[in-house]
Amino acid sequence: MAFFNAHINRRFVFAAVLWVIVPGCGMVFGASEDASARETVVARLQAELPERKLPVLDEMLRKGLVNGPDIIMKEWLAAVAREEVTVGRAPMLPNVSAWARPGVIYEQHRESGAKDRTVASVLFNVGFYQPLYHWGALEKNYQIAQIRKAIAERNVAETRRVLAVDLRRRYFDFVLVSNDLELARLKLERVRKDREYVRQSIDDGSLAPAALDGADREVDLQLPEVARLENECAALRATLVQITGMTPAEIDRLPVEIPPLADIGDALAAISGIVSAPPSARAEEMADAARIERLNYEIAKKRLYPKIGVELSVNQDDRRDAGDTFGQKSLITSWNALLAVNWSLFDGFASQATRRASLNRLRAYETSRAQIEQQEGAERRAETARLMIAWRQLQNSERDLDRAREVLERAGQDFASGMRSRRDVDDARTSLNHATHGIHAARAQFYTTLASYLSNRGRDPVARDRGNAVAGD
């Protein structure tokens, strides 16, 4: 009977264990499948980043993320923060100091009748101090220096991440303005042709001379527009030269065509809600500021507590014997081992004020962090909506381009058959030019929105890879 009960108990335990393990395995495998699907969707979106299709943009990113002025500045500040960690650790280590005063002492005796004399001596002191117990203040100051180092290093990565998105946007701005300039020049050429046509019509007597005023006005309006776009293009070129280190000639060779995207509508539909955003740099900065302030508060609490250390020293000085005012001086070497207690008893209520100020700063940092997290949650949801809207706008622009091509093709056929005029063909070609510019603008908008979406979720491979490469160097 005992054997039967034991057998039953073992079977019961085994079944219970299986009941716990099997669902757990299902959850693990399910989570693994979800993670794999998520990474597949992210990889599809990353494959559509513009630098994958534009080698010149990839070159701009490679140079800009290493040589950009903002990057270099942040790296210098990070180097400063690394050195300040050593400074913050120094008070925890022994402090050794020494001084020496070799020279001649001349004694002149006026009252005692003793003879004046000159004494050659070497006076010195070698001291050693080791803090033993400062109520954790030294360790906390060291922790503050380490936190500030982490902040500085994160600022380098954050600057690189933001710059990667900004470089793409500036590249597209230059391309779009270059296209605008080309369209403006084409329009200027056309209105000049129209003016010549009006002049010929006036000479033929089919138009009154006053018709030339309107044609002249169109030319006058277009000339400053071309000049404005030339100036804007030059400013964008200069900015790219400064940020990337490329030459103006290299910038001028940038392709003006923005490549189309693959059909990623299903990936965009799947991305919503499955890729979470990590804490932003602003939220982490507020969290670190709160950590530093908590440490500062703990330091301020113990500011008036006694500080304990040990002092070791060897000292050589010239002294007279006790009670002998006019006697001969002797060089005396003393060896000292002392327990040092330093206690500030009253500091004019500065410690209390420091604690209160620290608490108020801590509350401000924590409130700011909560507000940032709440605000950024809404911004991330809006960002997903903007990505979907940009994709739909891009699809509409693609269809508009197809329609403009069809219109131009039919106009050309009708012109060949004598059913339409050359002006109708020119109008259709102008519409196609504008549709082409529109598709470039829509593609640039979507590429920039996609890069920003992935970047804000820590999924921009350019920023991450460039950061690792720099760190590895």
Side-chain angles (χ1 to χ4, degrees):
M1 186 68 178
F3 172 78
F4 178 75
N5 290 334
H7 182 66
I8 293 298
N9 290 337
R10 284 196 298 271
R11 291 183 62 183
F12 175 77
V13 171
F14 181 70
V17 170
L18 285 179
W19 185 82
V20 173
I21 292 177
V22 171
C25 291
M27 293 175 64
V28 171
F29 290 137
S32 178
E33 291 176 359
D34 290 343
S36 177
R38 180 170 60 248
E39 293 305 318
T40 300
V41 171
V42 171
R44 286 193 61 190
L45 296 181
Q46 289 174 337
E48 293 303 313
L49 287 171
E51 62 272 8
R52 303 289 178 90
K53 305 173 184 181
L54 293 165
V56 66
L57 176 57
D58 185 68
E59 178 70 9
M60 285 179 57
L61 291 169
R62 186 184 67 81
K63 291 183 176 181
L65 296 183
V66 174
N67 301 322
D70 290 343
I71 299 295
I72 294 174
M73 181 66 69
K74 295 297 183 182
E75 287 178 344
W76 284 341
L77 294 177
V80 171
R82 286 192 290 270
E83 297 302 328
E84 287 179 347
V85 170
T86 303
V87 176
R89 185 171 179 264
M92 302 167 60
L93 301 177
N95 181 283
V96 180
S97 61
W99 58 262
R101 296 173 183 170
V104 177
I105 299 174
Y106 175 69
E107 294 184 348
Q108 186 177 24
H109 301 268
R110 298 183 181 276
E111 302 295 337
S112 64
K115 293 183 179 180
D116 298 342
R117 66 183 186 130
T118 301
V119 180
S121 62
V122 178
L123 311 180
F124 66 85
N125 176 276
V126 178
F128 170 94
Y129 178 79
Q130 173 64 58
L132 295 180
Y133 193 68
H134 283 221
W135 306 95
L138 302 181
E139 293 83 353
K140 290 180 175 64
N141 280 322
Y142 180 48
Q143 292 172 18
I144 289 172
Q146 290 176 314
I147 294 172
R148 286 175 175 159
K149 172 194 168 189
I151 292 173
E153 292 175 344
R154 187 174 62 242
N155 286 341
V156 175
E158 177 65 9
T159 302
R160 184 172 287 111
R161 182 191 71 81
V162 173
L163 182 60
V165 178
D166 187 57
L167 279 174
R168 295 181 179 104
R169 180 183 60 80
R170 290 179 182 275
Y171 169 83
F172 289 131
D173 286 346
F174 181 78
V175 170
L176 293 177
V177 171
S178 297
N179 287 334
D180 284 340
L181 178 58
E182 182 62 24
L183 286 176
R185 286 170 175 168
L186 290 173
K187 184 176 180 180
L188 177 61
E189 181 181 353
R190 181 172 179 180
V191 296
R192 280 174 171 169
K193 288 182 178 179
D194 291 342
R195 184 173 62 180
E196 292 301 318
Y197 174 78
V198 170
R199 283 176 176 171
Q200 291 177 2
S201 299
I202 292 173
D203 294 339
D204 295 341
S206 58
L207 288 177
L212 187 61
D213 291 340
D216 287 338
R217 183 176 183 277
E218 290 297 325
V219 174
D220 292 339
L221 290 175
Q222 195 59 25
L223 283 171
E225 179 65 12
V226 171
R228 181 187 69 81
L229 291 172
E230 288 175 343
N231 183 66
E232 186 175 350
C233 194
L236 291 172
R237 182 190 300 109
T239 300
L240 288 175
V241 168
Q242 179 183 4
I243 293 177
T244 64
M246 300 175 70
T247 64
E250 290 175 326
I251 300 297
D252 287 333
R253 289 196 295 269
L254 294 178
V256 295
E257 295 288 334
I258 299 178
L261 289 98
D263 187 3
I264 55 173
D266 55 341
L268 291 173
I271 198 69
S272 178
I274 69 171
V275 178
S276 60
S280 68
R282 289 175 58 207
E284 289 185 337
E285 182 179 354
M286 287 297 103
D288 285 338
R291 290 174 58 198
I292 290 174
E293 207 53 53
R294 289 190 192 96
L295 293 171
N296 283 329
Y297 177 75
E298 294 298 324
I299 293 171
K301 281 173 59 178
K302 308 295 177 62
R303 187 170 174 176
L304 295 182
Y305 286 30
K307 313 301 188 298
I308 302 173
V310 62
E311 291 182 358
L312 305 176
S313 65
V314 56
N315 179 75
Q316 180 167 286
D317 198 359
D318 55 336
R319 304 178 188 171
R320 292 185 175 88
D321 293 337
D324 188 353
T325 305
F326 303 105
Q328 184 175 352
K329 287 185 177 180
S330 302
L331 292 178
I332 300 175
T333 303
S334 60
W335 301 80
N336 308 297
L338 305 171
L339 183 67
V341 179
N342 298 312
W343 195 347
S344 178
L345 299 177
F346 180 70
D347 62 356
F349 305 107
S351 297
Q352 296 180 17
T354 301
R355 290 198 302 271
R356 290 193 296 268
S358 184
L359 282 176
N360 288 327
R361 280 193 295 267
L362 178 59
R363 295 187 186 103
Y365 292 142
E366 291 177 340
T367 302
S368 296
R369 182 189 179 189
Q371 291 175 346
I372 289 171
E373 290 176 346
Q374 182 178 6
Q375 178 184 359
E376 289 182 344
E379 289 177 353
R380 297 295 176 261
R381 290 189 293 272
E383 190 177 50
T384 302
R386 285 195 298 270
L387 184 64
M388 302 302 178
I389 293 170
W391 175 251
R392 289 196 293 270
Q393 290 174 334
L394 175 59
Q395 301 309 302
N396 291 334
S397 296
E398 294 283 1
R399 286 189 286 269
D400 290 342
L401 181 62
D402 292 337
R403 293 190 190 100
R405 286 171 177 163
E406 293 175 0
V407 169
L408 178 59
E409 184 178 358
R410 287 197 301 269
Q413 294 172 356
D414 292 343
F415 174 74
S417 62
M419 298 176 59
R420 304 185 72 171
S421 66
R422 169 62 67 182
R423 188 178 184 85
D424 293 334
V425 176
D426 290 341
D427 289 341
R429 183 172 289 107
T430 299
S431 297
L432 177 60
N433 290 336
H434 285 288
T436 302
H437 181 268
I439 193 62
H440 287 159
R443 288 172 183 171
Q445 177 65 29
F446 182 79
Y447 276 130
T448 304
T449 306
L450 176 62
S452 178
Y453 180 91
L454 293 174
S455 179
N456 287 333
R457 285 154 181 80
R459 301 304 186 96
D460 187 349
V462 172
R464 184 173 61 247
D465 294 344
R466 295 294 182 264
N468 292 339
V470 173
D473 293 342

